[in-house]
Short mmCIF file of all heavy atoms in Angstrom, two decimals:
data_model
loop_
_atom_site.label_atom_id
_atom_site.label_comp_id
_atom_site.label_asym_id
_atom_site.label_seq_id
_atom_site.Cartn_x
_atom_site.Cartn_y
_atom_site.Cartn_z
N ILE A 204 159.13 -61.65 88.91
CA ILE A 204 157.97 -60.80 89.23
C ILE A 204 157.58 -60.97 90.69
O ILE A 204 157.30 -59.99 91.40
CB ILE A 204 156.78 -61.14 88.31
CG1 ILE A 204 157.11 -60.81 86.84
CG2 ILE A 204 155.52 -60.41 88.76
CD1 ILE A 204 157.37 -59.35 86.57
N GLN A 205 157.57 -62.21 91.18
CA GLN A 205 157.19 -62.45 92.57
C GLN A 205 158.20 -61.82 93.52
O GLN A 205 157.82 -61.28 94.57
CB GLN A 205 157.07 -63.95 92.84
CG GLN A 205 156.48 -64.28 94.20
CD GLN A 205 155.09 -63.69 94.39
OE1 GLN A 205 154.22 -63.85 93.54
NE2 GLN A 205 154.88 -62.96 95.48
N ALA A 206 159.47 -61.89 93.18
CA ALA A 206 160.49 -61.27 94.03
C ALA A 206 160.27 -59.76 94.12
O ALA A 206 160.45 -59.16 95.19
CB ALA A 206 161.88 -61.58 93.48
N ILE A 207 159.88 -59.15 93.02
CA ILE A 207 159.59 -57.71 93.03
C ILE A 207 158.37 -57.43 93.90
O ILE A 207 158.37 -56.49 94.70
CB ILE A 207 159.38 -57.20 91.59
CG1 ILE A 207 160.70 -57.25 90.82
CG2 ILE A 207 158.80 -55.78 91.59
CD1 ILE A 207 160.56 -57.01 89.34
N ARG A 208 157.34 -58.25 93.77
CA ARG A 208 156.15 -58.09 94.62
C ARG A 208 156.52 -58.20 96.10
O ARG A 208 155.95 -57.50 96.95
CB ARG A 208 155.12 -59.18 94.29
CG ARG A 208 154.45 -59.07 92.94
CD ARG A 208 153.35 -60.13 92.86
NE ARG A 208 152.79 -60.25 91.54
CZ ARG A 208 151.91 -59.41 91.00
NH1 ARG A 208 151.50 -58.38 91.71
NH2 ARG A 208 151.45 -59.61 89.78
N ASP A 209 157.45 -59.09 96.40
CA ASP A 209 157.84 -59.35 97.79
C ASP A 209 158.88 -58.35 98.31
O ASP A 209 159.36 -58.49 99.43
CB ASP A 209 158.41 -60.76 97.92
CG ASP A 209 157.38 -61.84 97.65
OD1 ASP A 209 156.17 -61.54 97.74
OD2 ASP A 209 157.79 -62.98 97.33
N ASN A 210 159.25 -57.37 97.47
CA ASN A 210 160.30 -56.42 97.83
C ASN A 210 161.59 -57.15 98.19
O ASN A 210 162.30 -56.80 99.13
CB ASN A 210 159.85 -55.53 99.01
CG ASN A 210 160.78 -54.34 99.22
OD1 ASN A 210 161.50 -53.93 98.31
ND2 ASN A 210 160.76 -53.79 100.43
N ASN A 211 161.88 -58.18 97.41
CA ASN A 211 163.05 -59.02 97.66
C ASN A 211 164.08 -58.76 96.55
O ASN A 211 164.13 -59.46 95.54
CB ASN A 211 162.65 -60.49 97.69
CG ASN A 211 163.75 -61.38 98.23
OD1 ASN A 211 164.92 -61.02 98.22
ND2 ASN A 211 163.38 -62.56 98.70
N ARG A 212 164.88 -57.72 96.75
CA ARG A 212 165.83 -57.30 95.72
C ARG A 212 166.81 -58.41 95.37
O ARG A 212 167.07 -58.67 94.19
CB ARG A 212 166.58 -56.05 96.19
CG ARG A 212 167.70 -55.61 95.24
CD ARG A 212 168.40 -54.37 95.76
NE ARG A 212 167.53 -53.21 95.72
CZ ARG A 212 167.33 -52.47 94.64
NH1 ARG A 212 167.96 -52.76 93.50
NH2 ARG A 212 166.52 -51.44 94.68
N VAL A 213 167.38 -59.05 96.37
CA VAL A 213 168.42 -60.04 96.10
C VAL A 213 167.84 -61.21 95.30
O VAL A 213 168.51 -61.76 94.41
CB VAL A 213 169.10 -60.52 97.40
CG1 VAL A 213 168.11 -61.17 98.36
CG2 VAL A 213 170.24 -61.50 97.08
N ALA A 214 166.60 -61.61 95.59
CA ALA A 214 165.99 -62.72 94.84
C ALA A 214 165.76 -62.33 93.39
O ALA A 214 166.00 -63.14 92.48
CB ALA A 214 164.68 -63.13 95.50
N ALA A 215 165.29 -61.11 93.15
CA ALA A 215 165.08 -60.65 91.77
C ALA A 215 166.41 -60.58 91.03
O ALA A 215 166.52 -61.01 89.87
CB ALA A 215 164.39 -59.29 91.77
N TRP A 216 167.43 -60.05 91.69
CA TRP A 216 168.77 -59.96 91.09
C TRP A 216 169.30 -61.35 90.74
O TRP A 216 169.85 -61.56 89.65
CB TRP A 216 169.69 -59.26 92.08
CG TRP A 216 171.10 -59.04 91.61
CD1 TRP A 216 171.61 -57.94 90.99
CD2 TRP A 216 172.21 -59.96 91.76
NE1 TRP A 216 172.95 -58.11 90.73
CE2 TRP A 216 173.34 -59.34 91.20
CE3 TRP A 216 172.34 -61.23 92.32
CZ2 TRP A 216 174.59 -59.95 91.17
CZ3 TRP A 216 173.58 -61.84 92.29
CH2 TRP A 216 174.69 -61.21 91.72
N TYR A 217 169.11 -62.29 91.65
CA TYR A 217 169.55 -63.68 91.44
C TYR A 217 168.84 -64.30 90.24
O TYR A 217 169.47 -64.98 89.42
CB TYR A 217 169.26 -64.46 92.72
CG TYR A 217 169.21 -65.96 92.59
CD1 TYR A 217 170.37 -66.71 92.45
CD2 TYR A 217 167.99 -66.64 92.66
CE1 TYR A 217 170.32 -68.10 92.35
CE2 TYR A 217 167.93 -68.01 92.57
CZ TYR A 217 169.10 -68.74 92.42
OH TYR A 217 169.04 -70.11 92.32
N GLU A 218 167.53 -64.08 90.14
CA GLU A 218 166.78 -64.64 89.02
C GLU A 218 167.27 -64.09 87.69
O GLU A 218 167.40 -64.82 86.70
CB GLU A 218 165.28 -64.34 89.19
CG GLU A 218 164.61 -65.07 90.35
CD GLU A 218 164.49 -66.56 90.13
OE1 GLU A 218 164.50 -67.00 88.96
OE2 GLU A 218 164.38 -67.30 91.13
N ILE A 219 167.54 -62.79 87.66
CA ILE A 219 168.02 -62.17 86.42
C ILE A 219 169.40 -62.70 86.04
O ILE A 219 169.63 -63.13 84.91
CB ILE A 219 168.07 -60.64 86.56
CG1 ILE A 219 166.67 -60.06 86.76
CG2 ILE A 219 168.73 -60.01 85.32
CD1 ILE A 219 166.66 -58.59 87.16
N ARG A 220 170.31 -62.68 86.97
CA ARG A 220 171.72 -62.96 86.66
C ARG A 220 171.98 -64.44 86.39
O ARG A 220 172.74 -64.77 85.46
CB ARG A 220 172.59 -62.49 87.82
CG ARG A 220 174.09 -62.37 87.48
CD ARG A 220 174.84 -61.81 88.67
NE ARG A 220 176.22 -61.47 88.44
CZ ARG A 220 176.68 -60.27 88.09
NH1 ARG A 220 175.83 -59.28 87.89
NH2 ARG A 220 177.97 -60.04 87.94
N TYR A 221 171.38 -65.30 87.18
CA TYR A 221 171.77 -66.71 87.13
C TYR A 221 170.67 -67.67 86.66
O TYR A 221 170.95 -68.85 86.44
CB TYR A 221 172.23 -67.17 88.51
CG TYR A 221 173.40 -66.41 89.08
CD1 TYR A 221 173.29 -65.74 90.29
CD2 TYR A 221 174.63 -66.37 88.41
CE1 TYR A 221 174.37 -65.05 90.83
CE2 TYR A 221 175.71 -65.68 88.95
CZ TYR A 221 175.57 -65.02 90.16
OH TYR A 221 176.64 -64.34 90.69
N ARG A 222 169.42 -67.21 86.55
CA ARG A 222 168.33 -68.16 86.34
C ARG A 222 167.50 -67.90 85.09
O ARG A 222 166.43 -68.48 84.93
CB ARG A 222 167.41 -68.14 87.56
CG ARG A 222 168.06 -68.58 88.86
CD ARG A 222 167.64 -69.95 89.25
NE ARG A 222 166.20 -70.00 89.46
CZ ARG A 222 165.49 -71.12 89.45
NH1 ARG A 222 166.07 -72.27 89.19
NH2 ARG A 222 164.19 -71.08 89.66
N SER A 223 167.96 -67.05 84.20
CA SER A 223 167.12 -66.73 83.03
C SER A 223 167.88 -66.87 81.72
O SER A 223 167.70 -66.08 80.80
CB SER A 223 166.54 -65.31 83.16
OG SER A 223 167.56 -64.37 83.39
N ASN A 224 168.73 -67.89 81.67
CA ASN A 224 169.49 -68.17 80.45
C ASN A 224 169.32 -69.64 80.10
O ASN A 224 169.93 -70.51 80.72
CB ASN A 224 170.97 -67.83 80.65
CG ASN A 224 171.77 -67.92 79.36
OD1 ASN A 224 171.24 -68.21 78.30
ND2 ASN A 224 173.07 -67.69 79.45
N ALA A 225 168.46 -69.93 79.12
CA ALA A 225 168.14 -71.31 78.79
C ALA A 225 169.36 -72.06 78.26
O ALA A 225 170.10 -71.55 77.42
CB ALA A 225 167.02 -71.35 77.75
N ASP A 226 169.55 -73.29 78.74
CA ASP A 226 170.70 -74.10 78.33
C ASP A 226 170.53 -74.69 76.93
O ASP A 226 171.49 -75.22 76.37
CB ASP A 226 170.92 -75.26 79.31
CG ASP A 226 171.32 -74.77 80.69
OD1 ASP A 226 171.72 -73.60 80.81
OD2 ASP A 226 171.22 -75.56 81.65
N SER A 227 169.33 -74.61 76.37
CA SER A 227 169.05 -75.28 75.10
C SER A 227 169.51 -74.49 73.88
O SER A 227 169.39 -74.95 72.75
CB SER A 227 167.55 -75.55 74.98
OG SER A 227 166.82 -74.34 75.04
N GLN A 228 170.05 -73.29 74.09
CA GLN A 228 170.44 -72.44 72.97
C GLN A 228 171.82 -72.82 72.44
O GLN A 228 172.58 -73.52 73.09
CB GLN A 228 170.45 -70.98 73.42
CG GLN A 228 169.12 -70.52 74.00
CD GLN A 228 169.25 -69.19 74.70
OE1 GLN A 228 168.91 -68.17 74.14
NE2 GLN A 228 169.73 -69.19 75.93
N ALA A 229 172.13 -72.31 71.26
CA ALA A 229 173.47 -72.50 70.71
C ALA A 229 174.50 -71.87 71.65
O ALA A 229 174.20 -70.90 72.35
CB ALA A 229 173.56 -71.87 69.32
N ASP A 230 175.71 -72.42 71.66
CA ASP A 230 176.73 -71.98 72.60
C ASP A 230 176.98 -70.48 72.53
O ASP A 230 177.06 -69.79 73.56
CB ASP A 230 178.05 -72.73 72.35
CG ASP A 230 177.92 -74.22 72.63
OD1 ASP A 230 176.95 -74.60 73.31
OD2 ASP A 230 178.78 -74.98 72.16
N THR A 231 177.14 -69.95 71.30
CA THR A 231 177.43 -68.53 71.17
C THR A 231 176.27 -67.68 71.67
O THR A 231 176.49 -66.62 72.27
CB THR A 231 177.74 -68.17 69.71
OG1 THR A 231 176.65 -68.62 68.88
CG2 THR A 231 179.02 -68.81 69.24
N ILE A 232 175.04 -68.14 71.44
CA ILE A 232 173.87 -67.41 71.92
C ILE A 232 173.83 -67.44 73.44
O ILE A 232 173.58 -66.43 74.10
CB ILE A 232 172.58 -68.00 71.34
CG1 ILE A 232 172.59 -67.90 69.82
CG2 ILE A 232 171.36 -67.29 71.93
CD1 ILE A 232 172.70 -66.49 69.29
N GLU A 233 174.08 -68.61 74.02
CA GLU A 233 174.02 -68.74 75.48
C GLU A 233 175.07 -67.87 76.15
O GLU A 233 174.81 -67.25 77.19
CB GLU A 233 174.20 -70.20 75.88
CG GLU A 233 173.79 -70.49 77.31
CD GLU A 233 173.78 -71.96 77.64
OE1 GLU A 233 173.84 -72.80 76.71
OE2 GLU A 233 173.73 -72.27 78.84
N ARG A 234 176.26 -67.79 75.57
CA ARG A 234 177.28 -66.91 76.13
C ARG A 234 176.85 -65.45 76.03
O ARG A 234 177.03 -64.67 76.96
CB ARG A 234 178.61 -67.12 75.39
CG ARG A 234 179.34 -68.39 75.78
CD ARG A 234 180.77 -68.35 75.27
NE ARG A 234 180.84 -68.38 73.82
CZ ARG A 234 180.98 -69.48 73.09
NH1 ARG A 234 181.05 -70.64 73.68
NH2 ARG A 234 181.04 -69.41 71.78
N GLY A 235 176.27 -65.10 74.89
CA GLY A 235 175.80 -63.73 74.71
C GLY A 235 174.70 -63.37 75.69
O GLY A 235 174.69 -62.27 76.26
N ILE A 236 173.76 -64.30 75.91
CA ILE A 236 172.68 -64.04 76.87
C ILE A 236 173.24 -63.95 78.28
O ILE A 236 172.78 -63.14 79.10
CB ILE A 236 171.60 -65.13 76.79
CG1 ILE A 236 170.94 -65.12 75.40
CG2 ILE A 236 170.55 -64.92 77.87
CD1 ILE A 236 170.26 -63.82 75.05
N ALA A 237 174.24 -64.77 78.61
CA ALA A 237 174.87 -64.68 79.93
C ALA A 237 175.45 -63.29 80.15
O ALA A 237 175.30 -62.70 81.23
CB ALA A 237 175.96 -65.75 80.06
N ASN A 238 176.10 -62.74 79.13
CA ASN A 238 176.61 -61.38 79.23
C ASN A 238 175.48 -60.38 79.41
O ASN A 238 175.58 -59.43 80.20
CB ASN A 238 177.40 -61.02 77.97
CG ASN A 238 178.83 -61.50 78.02
OD1 ASN A 238 179.26 -62.10 79.00
ND2 ASN A 238 179.58 -61.26 76.96
N ARG A 239 174.41 -60.58 78.66
CA ARG A 239 173.26 -59.69 78.77
C ARG A 239 172.71 -59.70 80.19
O ARG A 239 172.39 -58.65 80.76
CB ARG A 239 172.18 -60.11 77.76
CG ARG A 239 170.94 -59.23 77.80
CD ARG A 239 169.94 -59.63 76.73
NE ARG A 239 168.80 -58.72 76.71
CZ ARG A 239 168.23 -58.26 75.61
NH1 ARG A 239 168.69 -58.62 74.42
NH2 ARG A 239 167.20 -57.43 75.68
N ARG A 240 172.59 -60.89 80.78
CA ARG A 240 172.03 -60.99 82.12
C ARG A 240 172.96 -60.35 83.17
O ARG A 240 172.48 -59.78 84.16
CB ARG A 240 171.77 -62.45 82.48
CG ARG A 240 170.74 -63.12 81.59
CD ARG A 240 169.35 -62.48 81.73
NE ARG A 240 168.41 -63.17 80.86
CZ ARG A 240 167.98 -62.70 79.69
NH1 ARG A 240 168.40 -61.52 79.26
NH2 ARG A 240 167.14 -63.40 78.95
#
Side-chain angles (χ1 to χ4, degrees):
I204 296 297
Q205 189 58 51
I207 291 170
R208 291 186 190 282
D209 295 340
N210 192 21
N211 192 339
R212 175 180 292 277
V213 61
W216 182 93
Y217 161 75
E218 292 291 337
I219 296 169
R220 196 176 188 93
Y221 301 121
R222 297 256 298 160
S223 53
N224 188 1
D226 294 344
S227 59
Q228 304 168 99
D230 295 343
T231 54
I232 299 300
E233 196 172 346
R234 284 194 294 267
I236 297 300
N238 276 0
R239 180 176 184 138
R240 297 296 180 258

